[in-house]
Amino acid sequence: MTDWERVKRELKEAGYSGFEFDSGDTAVPGLSGEWVSGKIPREGGLKRENQPLWIRILDALPMGDTVEGGPENAPESIRNIATEHGLEVVIYGVSADEARIALCDPSNHDL
C-alpha cells in the first residue's frame, strides 16, 4: 500500500508542491487506479533543447507543445521518489512552460 501523503511530502521537499491524490479510471494511457499528479516546470529532459530534433520542431509550432513523454524525461528527483515508492511516472500533458506528471501505482494500471 502506497503512503500517498508521504509521496506528496517528498515531492514538496524536492521543490514540487501542488501534487494532489486522485484515483479512478482515465482516458490517459497508464493513468488509472491511484496516483498523485501535478504541474511542474519544463526542466531537464522535458526542455525543448533536450528533445530529439523532430520533437523540437513540433514543439516550436504554434500550439505544438510536444515532448517525448517517456518517464526518463521526468526530472531525476521525481524519478527517484517514484522508484523509492515502487511507482511509475506518467507524463500526460505539456504546455510551453509546464508539464503535467503523475506518479502511479503500477499494480493498478496497464502500461
Side-chain angles (χ1 to χ4, degrees):
M1 188 83 180
T2 303
D3 181 350
W4 295 108
E5 288 302 316
R6 181 175 170 206
V7 172
K8 287 181 2 181
R9 184 175 58 251
E10 290 178 15
L11 287 164
K12 186 174 183 179
E13 289 170 358
Y16 302 103
S17 60
F19 273 74
E20 296 295 328
F21 175 80
D22 205 347
S23 63
D25 293 321
T26 72
V28 177
L31 188 57
S32 64
E34 295 183 332
W35 65 87
V36 292
S37 65
K39 292 180 182 178
I40 65 168
R42 283 183 62 175
E43 58 187 49
L46 296 172
K47 284 184 148 182
R48 179 177 294 157
E49 60 267 20
N50 295 331
Q51 294 284 311
L53 178 60
W54 69 277
I55 294 287
R56 288 184 295 198
I57 292 168
L58 290 174
D59 195 36
L61 296 173
M63 300 196 36
D65 300 333
T66 304
V67 298
E68 281 192 333
E72 67 278 0
N73 289 321
E76 183 177 7
S77 56
I78 290 178
R79 292 192 324 261
N80 290 342
I81 292 167
T83 299
E84 178 183 335
H85 292 277
L87 302 172
E88 298 287 337
V89 176
V90 176
I91 299 168
Y92 64 96
V94 66
S95 68
D97 56 351
E98 291 182 322
R100 284 184 255 154
I101 192 165
L103 281 65
C104 311
D105 186 343
S107 64
N108 292 329
H109 69 277
D110 298 320
L111 289 176

